[in-house]
Amino acid sequence: MDFKFLQELIAPAQTKIAMIIMDGLGGLPLEPGGKTELETAHTPHLDALAAQSALGLTIPVRPGITPGSGPGHLGIFGYDPVEYEIGRGALEALGVDFELEPDDVAARGNFCSVDTAGVLTDRRAGRLPTDTSRELVKSLRTIQMDGVEFFIEPVKGHRFAFVMRGAGLGDALTETDPQKTGVPALAVQALAPDSEKSAHIANQFVEQARKLLAGKQPANMILLRGFAKFPTMPQYRDIFGLNAAAIAVNGMYRGVARLVGMQVLDVGGTEIEDEFATLEKNWNDFDFFYLHVKQTDTAGEDGDFGRKVRVIEQVDGLMPRLMALKPDVVIVSGDHSSPAVLKFHSWHPVPTLLYGKYVRADGIAEFGERACARGSLGVLPAKDVMPIALANAQRIGKYGA
Amino acid sequence: MDFKFLQELIAPAQTKIAMIIMDGLGGLPLEPGGKTELETAHTPHLDALAAQSALGLTIPVRPGITPGSGPGHLGIFGYDPVEYEIGRGALEALGVDFELEPDDVAARGNFCSVDTAGVLTDRRAGRLPTDTSRELVKSLRTIQMDGVEFFIEPVKGHRFAFVMRGAGLGDALTETDPQKTGVPALAVQALAPDSEKSAHIANQFVEQARKLLAGKQPANMILLRGFAKFPTMPQYRDIFGLNAAAIAVNGMYRGVARLVGMQVLDVGGTEIEDEFATLEKNWNDFDFFYLHVKQTDTAGEDGDFGRKVRVIEQVDGLMPRLMALKPDVVIVSGDHSSPAVLKFHSWHPVPTLLYGKYVRADGIAEFGERACARGSLGVLPAKDVMPIALANAQRIGKYGA
């Protein structure tokens, strides 16, 4: 939907919307003819809610497209993930909860191994342990240059987030990773005149890193990829008229929520219960809540069907705490599918439930993939869920006379 | 659909299509878990027709968007209501069955109250009775100016339609309504050079109206809003190859039908039976008929669930008269939803039935919201219904070899 079109119709209201996102919610049966993770899970509360809801299956990006977490979230947040692309460098920085500023240039960094001639021998430095990586990041932080500030944040294993902050830095830059061993790392090149300065700085940084890391095999060099600025996104308050809060433990999701203008709340713990407690505590202060459950996706990616079932059951057990707050509209969905049998994100449409006083309920007392396929929301782009939720929260005025 | 694309595929045929639009057809249950108005209605003929039809739910404008009658009708007529916007002034003139010409500039007018200093004290002149308003309109009609013709038509209460006809009149004009009391009315300003002349004329008209109405409290002044020309719409004959007729009692619907090139028939009465009699009488002379039932919407807006049910049952009782004419294709739908519980137009998708000899029937012997949610048309933009109906009437040729 064209945000300008929607924006002009947005009307103030006192209603509250809660969006519960179980990451990678959609699944597949273990055996042909069997049930998916969600269908297997014993979910009395979600089933009861489904009976009073409209159901459907959402397509996060485009039919057949498997989304990463960034695009998956942008979709269910109401944005077209193809139109609003978050560069990989920016995502890496968001993922470690780094507060990117509009002119920062971020990149994905990683340690690698080179021989004495500077030829790449291992692009991942033997998949360095995170602890070793953290120590090496500390030494990279000693690199200083005039007119630019560097931020280096450890991610996991051999990976780190790299950020340059300063005036006149463009992000039209080539990568240093040649994508193969047996050749030297490449120099960063500017693809536009506004990025000449950042190319020069990035190359100087790599050169100083090479000197600092000399002798620290296997991590004696770095690679930088996916240079990107923080994208400017239409903000929730402006396009939807919402004072929105995000409840998420992992940096990536907190980062994407911050990107669209949500206030990211302190959870004070890493459990799903802690997230629901945060929801209760902040209920009076916002009119939209996004609550993110990571554990469904992790179980799916681990190929652990049973654990994914148990996480869904755990969320089901917490649903009464949300419903006790008397939300006007509730969305339960995922950012994409992560079937345990695939051990990976997938392209499958995502089961989605929309509850509200003015929702035309389908009367299907089950929340599952095949139940949702029979629902009146149909198979719809994920980005259409927000306007429908806003309508049901009576936050959109009439179009035309 | 791109009309140019469709237009090239349109093939002549002798088939006839009937589109029965029950205004505001879609509804909601009175109580959670209950039935909607359409589901409650006893509709043996529509149910029997549904069994031989494809069912679906139409989205008039965009997901979550509540349409006015203009956009709602454009959608089911086959146009994207966002692309083809009808200005409020033009709609007001259409609504009183005024035959707008392509260069006319129309506005929504209304009587208001001002104090001796010209400060607005009531923007609606105490919601003037229609009879009083009619008398005052007569005096406004005495205003004359060189090079321009004025048309003033009473609407309802304090409202009237205002039309300027003459050479060189643009519609890029600001409104005179300041949207609040305690301040004087605003002067009309031109937003483009081609509208300087119309701004000048409109301001002169308002000045003369002020003099004429002096002392006629509470209606001693006028406001003009929503200046707009008659939009140029692709015509039914050109894009669909149809010789189309419209059967509607209210001006607004007759106006929108005229806009797309339908011939508006004299109904000779205001009852739904009169409309079906008009259909029978003109059956041989056209190949497309739009028949509009206003009473469903009025009942919905009045919050009268039972009356809306009875209107639907009345239409059901008249369906055999349509079917006796042996139409090749029948569409039964609405322009939007108007649930009695909301007493207003709403965003909910609209139950839609498509009958025809070559329709792949769903075999669902019920016409209702939840039955339509299970239908093979799925949840579809309203504008897609016309091409599907044309195809079933064998009026679209093959694309490509």
Side-chain angles (χ1 to χ4, degrees), chain A residues 1 358 360-361 376 391-392 399-401, chain B residues 27 64 66 68-70 81 108 347-349:
Chain A
M1 173 128 24
Y358 299 116
R360 191 191 282 152
S376 63
N392 279 286
Y399 170 63
Chain B
T66 296
S69 300
R108 285 188 160 185
W347 61 89
H348 299 87

Side-chain angles (χ1 to χ4, degrees), chain B residues 327-375:
Chain B
D328 296 282
V329 172
V330 175
I331 300 153
V332 183
S333 186
D335 55 339
H336 56 77
S337 293
S338 281
V341 292
L342 286 174
K343 298 187 179 183
F344 200 65
H345 292 198
S346 81
W347 61 89
H348 299 87
V350 185
T352 299
L353 169 164
L354 181 76
Y355 159 86
K357 188 176 167 184
Y358 301 115
V359 166
R360 191 191 284 148
D362 297 329
I364 300 172
E366 188 196 340
F367 186 45
E369 282 82 351
R370 276 163 280 204
C372 287
R374 303 198 310 271

Side-chain angles (χ1 to χ4, degrees), chain A residues 196-241:
Chain A
E196 297 285 356
K197 183 177 170 186
S198 23
H200 178 71
I201 290 171
N203 285 323
Q204 280 196 298
F205 185 92
V206 171
E207 181 51 27
Q208 293 205 31
R210 193 185 60 77
K211 287 179 187 160
L212 268 173
L213 298 173
K216 310 227 168 175
Q217 279 80 344
N220 61 349
M221 179 56 168
I222 64 167
L223 295 172
L224 297 176
R225 292 179 293 148
F227 287 95
K229 284 201 179 192
F230 185 69
T232 308
M233 302 287 297
Q235 300 291 291
Y236 254 47
R237 182 177 295 280
D238 300 332
I239 55 175
F240 298 147

Side-chain angles (χ1 to χ4, degrees), chain A residues 1 5-6 9 358-362 374-378 384 387-388 391-392 394 396-401, chain B residues 26-28 63-71 81-82 85 91 108 337 342 347-349 369-370 373 379:
Chain A
M1 173 128 24
F5 170 78
L6 185 63
L9 299 174
Y358 299 116
V359 167
R360 191 191 282 152
D362 298 330
R374 302 198 310 271
S376 63
L377 293 178
D384 287 348
I388 302 173
N392 279 286
Q394 302 197 283
I396 308 184
K398 190 167 71 167
Y399 170 63
Chain B
L28 282 174
I65 300 302
T66 296
S69 300
V82 178
E85 202 179 345
L91 260 185
R108 285 188 160 185
S337 293
L342 286 174
W347 61 89
H348 299 87
E369 282 82 351
R370 276 163 280 204
V379 182

Side-chain angles (χ1 to χ4, degrees), chain B residues 51-71:
Chain B
Q52 303 174 59
S53 299
L55 304 179
L57 290 170
T58 49
I59 297 176
V61 178
R62 292 285 187 277
I65 300 302
T66 296
S69 300

Side-chain angles (χ1 to χ4, degrees), chain B residues 163-233:
Chain B
V163 178
M164 302 187 279
R165 180 174 294 166
L169 299 181
D171 66 352
L173 300 169
T174 63
E175 311 189 329
T176 74
D177 186 349
Q179 298 286 343
K180 57 183 176 185
T181 53
V183 294
L186 305 168
V188 177
Q189 292 184 315
L191 299 170
D194 74 352
S195 301
E196 296 284 356
K197 183 177 169 186
S198 25
H200 179 70
I201 291 171
N203 284 323
Q204 279 197 300
F205 184 91
V206 172
E207 181 51 25
Q208 294 205 31
R210 193 185 59 76
K211 286 179 188 161
L212 268 174
L213 298 173
K216 308 227 169 176
Q217 278 81 343
N220 61 350
M221 178 58 165
I222 63 167
L223 295 174
L224 297 176
R225 293 178 294 147
F227 287 95
K229 284 200 179 194
F230 185 70
T232 309
M233 303 287 297

